[in-house]
Amino acid sequence: MENLIALLIAAPLAGAVLLLCGGRRLDRAGHWIGSLLAVASFAVGVVLFADLLGRDPGHRTLHQHLFSWVPVGGFRADASFQLDQLSMTFVLLITGVGSLIHIYSIGYMAHDARRRRFFGYLNLFLAAMLLLVLADNYLLLYAGWEGVGLASYLLIGFWQHKPSAATAAKKAFLVNRVGDMGLSIAIMLMFTTFGTFAFGPVLGAAGQASEGKLTAIGLMLLLAACGKSAQVPLQSWLGDAMEGPTPVSALIHAATMVTAGVYLITRSGAIFNAAPDAQTAVVAVGAVTLLFGAIVGCAKDDIKKALAGSTMSQIGYMILAAGLGPVGYAFAIMHLVTHGFFKAGLFLGAGSVMHGMNDEVDMRRYGGLRKYMPVTFVTFGLGYLAIIGFPGLSGFFSKDKIIEAAFARGGTEGWILGGAALLGAALTAFYMTRVMLMTFFGEERWRNAPTPSPDEPSAEPAAQTRGEYTPPRPHESPKVMTVPMIVLAVGSVFAGGLFSIGDAFVGWLEPVTSFSHGHSPVSAGAVTAATMVVLVLGAGLAWLMYGRRPVPATAPRGSLLTRVARRDLLQDDFNHIVLVRGGEHLTRTLVYLDHSVVDGAVNGTAAAMGGLSGRLRRLQTGFVRSYAVQMLGGAAVLVAATLLMRGV
């Protein structure tokens, strides 16, 4: 069975090479080739999963060595794969949800002239993401990490004719490079500390290294996770990344790529367990980001950007849980998987709405769409209920466990983290209810001529700006798009409950991540009751504001917090002031120092030598009498000095 592991990556990689290098002769069949190879990878994953289930829980780790990648003296890095319970979970998520999104894209991208290239990029992304989670050492993981970054850049900027898409792709690429520097430094520190990159030796010897070194490694790994998973302070790229095609948002920015940081921290659990300061930093980042993203999601009128804020917040929950150590590792991955179902379904539902609304993204120009798009309404609605934690659906089981684990932190810190998680749950119920009401209920606002929102860039076609507005004709999407949405909706409903039967998911991951129940001062029943209360409060407030009142065509000015939230809590302004302007001032200072100090010292030395030589040159007159006088004077000085010394 070990020999099948490479096939997981080989199938989508072959598709990427074929579709990107095969030329236009594959235009008619390229989307089918890409989709079939994604499904083939999923089929191999199912076979390997069945094999792991048939093994003893303590012997469910498979290794496949391909070749020695970089053997140079004491430096050795192998191209080897490791398949265990943790990586197997990601394999099924990546290939399963990825295959559904490939199929959905057949319909969504049907009229795009570059569809073959798009599917090639999707296959490339799958191959890179699989390499990331299957690598058995950090250096090979880094190769997959960079491959994911490249594929993300290509997919976000796929519609290159849109300047906003090209800018968003560059922004995502540059911000992620900051995080990637953290991962590269962490790998260097690992090699100098442990003499290897392999997971087994590094994680096995983590407890023997000094806490200072482990803290440095942990903080650098956290920096990498912040970049890839859009966590504070490297979160600014995620909202702009919605400029890419909607299937890209579903695959990369909901189900897989943004979860790579959670995988990295969970895989490196032994390092964080031995470095409590780094672990505390992980918890702080997760708690801040889950509130940051939720507040941003409450203020967005662009349906995809509202969901992007939601993604940021939900990944914050996962990072928070991963920072809690053995108490939260399994629940972080559990929420990651359930989130993969309902958030991918929500993004595909948003794409279906856009498909029927002439690519309109402003929810203020929606309304009453449930009767025109019944399948989209039901599947989106189930995803909505799952993400807010409605009892019995997936989010109820996974998010509540994270809130319980936060309280189990103990002491004042536990109450703060638990309170933050509950507040995040209330905000989630508010912004997702707002999205549902503005999109599927209320007045059919799309029948009226649109007016650009003062806080959102206009996406109107030229005909609209000339006053020739033609209302869209909402309609349901074709089956090739709705069937994947239905499958994801089923997962949104049942996945969490299935995982919780007999703590099956925790038991599955425990040999890899370890597990501890913790000691929470709040009972599970009390946490559930509190979660239900904040859910009702959040959803009720949204109903009062957007269900019982007409939604204005343009966003009102709102409070200061609302205006700041519409500007992503000033994250871009902060980056511009601190990084861009700060960089400009630093550059100017360095240029001044170079010109005034460095060049001044060099030029000053040259000028001093030139002046000295000019003055010495005056002594060279060319007259013999002058030289004779100088010689006589010198001799007199020597005689006088000799007599003086003898006298002393």
Side-chain angles (χ1 to χ4, degrees):
M1 278 298 169
E2 291 85 349
N3 295 330
L4 293 179
I5 299 176
L7 289 179
L8 290 168
I9 302 173
L13 183 60
V17 173
L18 185 62
L19 295 178
L20 296 176
C21 302
R24 295 184 178 179
R25 65 177 67 89
L26 296 177
D27 282 354
R28 293 185 177 182
H31 50 290
W32 292 112
I33 294 173
S35 300
L36 288 174
L37 288 172
V39 172
S41 183
F42 174 67
V44 175
V46 171
V47 171
L48 288 168
F49 176 61
D51 179 69
L52 290 187
L53 286 178
R55 296 171 180 258
D56 182 78
H59 299 83
R60 287 176 173 168
T61 300
L62 306 180
H63 292 275
Q64 183 180 11
H65 175 77
L66 296 184
F67 54 89
S68 294
W69 181 22
V70 188
V72 181
F75 180 94
R76 180 183 178 88
D78 293 332
S80 300
F81 303 133
Q82 174 177 308
L83 184 69
D84 55 20
Q85 292 92 321
L86 179 59
S87 54
M88 186 75 254
T89 302
F90 275 84
V91 165
L92 293 177
L93 177 67
I94 295 165
T95 58
V97 175
S99 295
L100 292 173
I101 294 173
H102 273 72
I103 295 170
Y104 176 94
S105 300
I106 294 174
Y108 191 88
M109 303 293 290
H111 303 293
D112 196 295
R114 301 170 66 239
R115 181 167 61 168
R116 169 184 56 81
R117 183 174 294 274
F118 179 78
F119 276 84
Y121 292 159
L122 286 183
N123 274 192
L124 178 63
F125 172 81
L126 285 188
M129 192 68 198
L130 288 169
L131 178 63
L132 190 159
V133 300
L134 288 171
D136 81 335
N137 63 82
Y138 283 96
L139 194 62
L140 191 59
L141 180 150
Y142 185 78
W145 192 273
E146 292 300 318
V148 167
L150 171 62
S152 173
Y153 168 78
L154 294 172
L155 286 166
I156 294 171
F158 182 75
W159 285 331
Q160 299 168 350
H161 59 278
K162 296 170 57 179
S164 56
T167 301
K170 289 186 288 186
K171 182 177 182 180
F173 190 82
L174 291 174
V175 172
N176 272 272
R177 296 293 72 73
V178 178
D180 294 352
M181 284 298 298
L183 182 55
S184 63
I185 293 172
I187 293 173
M188 296 175 196
L189 290 174
M190 287 177 192
F191 186 76
T192 58
T193 303
F194 304 104
T196 180
F197 307 108
F199 291 153
V202 170
L203 301 179
Q208 303 171 11
S210 68
E211 186 176 319
K213 287 185 177 180
L214 293 177
T215 299
I217 293 173
L219 292 177
M220 290 299 100
L221 291 175
L222 174 59
L223 180 62
C226 287
K228 200 66 75 182
S229 295
Q231 299 293 285
V232 172
L234 300 179
Q235 79 287 2
S236 63
W237 64 271
L238 188 63
D240 295 298
M242 297 302 109
E243 291 292 337
T246 300
V248 175
S249 303
L251 178 63
I252 296 182
H253 308 120
T256 53
M257 182 183 117
V258 290
T259 61
V262 183
Y263 170 80
L264 181 65
I265 293 174
T266 305
R267 175 63 76 185
S268 308
I271 294 174
F272 287 96
N273 294 341
D277 291 340
Q279 204 169 53
T280 299
V282 174
V283 170
V285 166
V288 170
T289 308
L290 75 87
L291 294 176
F292 187 104
I295 293 171
V296 169
C298 290
K300 291 295 184 180
D301 291 333
D302 184 318
I303 187 171
K304 289 176 65 178
K305 290 190 175 183
L307 293 178
S310 171
T311 296
M312 193 185 304
S313 178
Q314 298 305 307
I315 301 296
Y317 272 105
M318 301 172 206
I319 294 291
L320 168 62
L324 297 173
V327 176
Y329 287 139
F331 300 134
I333 303 302
M334 182 177 175
H335 192 54
L336 184 152
V337 176
T338 59
H339 177 265
F341 281 111
F342 55 69
K343 184 53 67 64
L346 288 170
F347 266 112
L348 295 189
S352 180
V353 170
M354 293 166 57
H355 184 268
M357 291 291 292
N358 296 342
D359 290 329
E360 180 61 72
V361 295
D362 191 342
M363 293 185 293
R364 294 185 181 275
R365 301 173 191 173
Y366 290 166
L369 295 179
R370 66 186 186 281
K371 61 183 177 182
Y372 300 98
M373 304 177 182
V375 177
T376 300
F377 168 64
V378 172
T379 56
F380 195 98
L382 291 174
Y384 152 71
L385 293 175
I387 193 174
I388 67 173
F390 190 83
L393 275 71
S394 292
F396 170 78
F397 294 98
S398 58
K399 190 186 294 183
D400 275 24
K401 291 295 185 181
I402 293 177
I403 298 174
E404 291 177 25
F407 279 110
R409 183 77 169 183
T412 304
E413 187 178 350
W415 285 102
I416 293 174
L417 295 176
L422 282 174
L423 178 57
L427 293 172
T428 301
F430 175 83
Y431 67 69
M432 285 307 306
T433 303
R434 175 178 179 267
V435 170
M436 281 294 297
L437 294 174
M438 292 180 70
T439 302
F440 295 103
F441 294 88
E443 179 187 0
E444 297 175 354
R445 298 179 298 278
W446 44 270
R447 293 186 180 277
N448 304 317
T451 303
S453 169
D455 296 293
E456 296 287 350
S458 175
E460 301 174 10
Q464 293 178 7
T465 61
R466 293 195 303 267
E468 303 171 7
Y469 177 69
T470 301
R473 304 176 68 177
H475 58 277
E476 189 57 271
S477 299
K479 289 185 178 180
V480 73
M481 294 173 63
T482 56
V483 169
M485 293 160 54
I486 293 171
V487 175
L488 291 170
V490 171
S492 301
V493 173
F494 296 109
L498 292 175
F499 293 161
S500 299
I501 297 175
D503 290 329
F505 195 81
V506 172
W508 165 258
L509 286 179
E510 186 173 1
V512 179
T513 62
S514 69
F515 177 70
S516 173
H517 286 284
H519 303 285
S520 175
V522 182
S523 66
V527 170
T528 300
T531 304
M532 291 301 99
V533 170
V534 299
L535 186 156
V536 172
L537 290 176
L541 180 60
W543 169 255
L544 291 175
M545 295 180 63
Y546 298 94
R548 298 192 61 181
R549 303 176 186 174
V551 177
T554 59
R557 181 173 175 80
S559 64
L560 176 62
L561 177 59
T562 300
R563 298 197 300 273
V564 171
R566 288 176 187 152
R567 294 176 61 86
D568 299 325
L569 294 183
L570 306 180
Q571 56 185 344
D572 285 331
D573 303 82
F574 175 83
N575 290 342
H576 184 76
I577 293 173
V578 175
L579 300 179
V580 177
R581 289 188 178 177
E584 291 175 350
H585 290 308
L586 176 61
T587 301
R588 290 169 184 166
T589 301
L590 293 175
V591 170
Y592 172 79
L593 292 175
D594 181 58
H595 288 170
S596 302
V597 179
V598 179
D599 288 353
V602 174
N603 296 334
T605 301
M609 295 305 296
L612 179 61
S613 65
R615 287 169 174 77
L616 290 175
R617 189 168 58 246
R618 295 177 182 176
L619 300 177
Q620 305 298 321
T621 63
F623 295 111
V624 174
R625 62 177 178 272
S626 298
Y627 297 155
V629 170
Q630 293 174 11
M631 292 171 65
L632 179 61
V637 170
L638 288 174
V639 171
T642 302
L643 294 175
L644 181 62
M645 292 179 66
R646 285 184 177 182
V648 174

